[in-house]
Amino acid sequence: MRAKLSISSCFEELSRLRTFVRDFCIDKIQGPHDEETIWKLELAAHEAAANVIEHAYDGHKEQRLVIEIELTGAQQILLKIFHFGKPFSPPAGPSSCVENLQNRGYGLTLLRESMDEVKYLQDEKGENCIYLLKNLST
Amino acid sequence: MEFKVEPAGDVAVIVIPAETLEMKNIQDFKDNIVSHLEGHKKIVFDLGRLNFIDSSGCGSLSFCMRTMKEKEDGSNIYLCCANNQVSATFRLIRLNRVFDIFETRDDAINAFTN
């Protein structure tokens, strides 16, 4: 079971992305961890796409992101965010420390804390993919 | 973004008017909250209308707290009325370590006065 969405690279589109993820999950996920799992998936999709818009596309609004969401046979939700912007390599080292009262830098922490697996991939054609996996049993 | 300030003694209760605090509106938030941060020592942010906050929204709250701390006069901000999702987002990045977060507005106001 799979669905696909294409959005333009502007922050105003992110509410449509969250609705897309929520609607898919409400339709497909059944069980006691529903609401928490759904909002974590919404949040992760939002954060990953926001990073693409801001950093991969430098805020240019005329670019595209394609999002695929899938319920796998292994009871996982797989979210893939495809883009042709600048590739990203997550920095090594500790996450941003909230006690330092930084303005920014919490997005990677939110991604890692809400998903079971986060990968940044690129194919031979230069298309980038942010791969987010959530096990429905956790 | 316009903020409604409801005085409760010497505590300024500021209702965050937006339903989301995220990349598309955080600059508007920061531009318009600064004068309130400068003008009050005791602030309660009522988050009751907020149903989504992202990392940039959390960062803007950190910005507010840092602005208050830099005054070095005991200025502080308490948060209240966050819904389940907003509270859970705070816990994911441990924002609850730098903010006192209360269930109700009265609890936050009383914490300042007690």
Side-chain angles (χ1 to χ4, degrees):
Chain A
M1 283 173 273
R2 189 182 288 177
K4 198 173 188 174
L5 175 74
S6 174
I7 61 171
S8 58
S9 56
C10 60
F11 296 120
E12 290 75 14
E13 286 269 71
L14 293 178
S15 59
R16 196 158 72 91
L17 168 59
R18 295 196 302 274
T19 302
F20 165 75
V21 171
R22 171 163 285 272
D23 288 349
F24 180 89
C25 292
I26 287 172
D27 193 39
K28 302 289 183 286
I29 298 175
Q30 293 170 3
H33 302 293
D34 307 359
E35 191 50 45
E36 181 173 339
T37 298
I38 292 171
W39 80 254
K40 282 183 173 177
L41 283 159
E42 273 188 77
L43 181 63
H46 172 102
E47 290 290 341
N51 281 342
V52 171
I53 293 168
E54 184 180 17
H55 300 296
Y57 283 140
D58 290 327
H60 294 299
K61 293 188 177 184
E62 69 282 359
Q63 305 298 327
R64 303 300 297 178
L65 292 80
V66 173
I67 299 94
E68 283 184 6
I69 188 167
E70 179 183 352
L71 174 65
T72 72
Q75 287 303 294
Q76 299 164 322
I77 293 285
L78 177 55
L79 260 168
K80 295 182 195 173
I81 298 171
F82 296 96
H83 67 94
F84 279 98
K86 288 184 282 190
F88 174 71
S89 293
S95 308
S96 297
C97 179
V98 69
E99 283 87 350
N100 294 336
L101 293 176
Q102 293 162 206
N103 283 355
R104 304 296 307 275
Y106 303 125
L108 294 181
T109 303
L110 281 177
L111 267 179
R112 281 198 291 264
E113 293 292 325
S114 54
M115 293 289 102
D116 293 304
E117 217 174 303
V118 179
K119 290 185 201 172
Y120 300 89
L121 309 168
Q122 188 181 53
D123 69 12
E124 61 280 356
K125 296 178 197 168
E127 185 175 42
N128 302 286
C129 173
I130 303 175
Y131 171 105
L132 305 172
L133 187 74
K134 183 75 179 161
N135 295 312
L136 296 182
S137 56
T138 58
Chain B
M1 196 179 292
E2 276 188 41
F3 297 99
K4 186 179 170 191
V5 181
E6 298 174 14
D10 60 349
V11 177
V13 179
I14 299 178
V15 179
I16 306 303
E19 290 186 358
T20 69
L21 205 54
E22 54 173 303
M23 281 296 289
K24 70 178 183 185
N25 63 358
I26 55 155
Q27 197 56 55
D28 188 17
F29 171 81
K30 285 160 81 171
D31 288 345
N32 288 287
I33 199 68
V34 167
S35 60
H36 297 290
L37 302 177
E38 291 166 353
H40 298 99
K41 277 185 68 170
K42 299 177 185 178
I43 293 177
V44 171
F45 279 164
D46 185 328
L47 306 178
R49 294 188 193 175
L50 208 60
N51 58 43
F52 178 81
I53 187 167
D54 73 356
S55 58
S56 67
C58 294
S60 63
L61 293 178
S62 289
F63 159 81
C64 292
M65 181 60 94
R66 193 172 74 246
T67 303
M68 294 292 271
K69 295 295 182 193
E70 284 173 354
K71 292 196 282 182
E72 294 184 341
D73 61 0
S75 289
N76 205 350
I77 302 172
Y78 292 160
L79 306 180
C80 74
C81 306
N83 73 8
N84 289 341
Q85 285 189 16
V86 171
S87 298
T89 303
F90 289 161
R91 286 194 296 274
L92 280 183
I93 60 164
R94 297 174 180 80
L95 203 69
N96 47 316
R97 289 187 185 174
V98 298
F99 277 97
D100 290 307
I101 304 173
F102 299 89
E103 275 204 29
T104 70
R105 188 188 280 200
D106 284 344
D107 288 344
I109 293 167
N110 290 338
F112 267 123
T113 52
N114 288 342

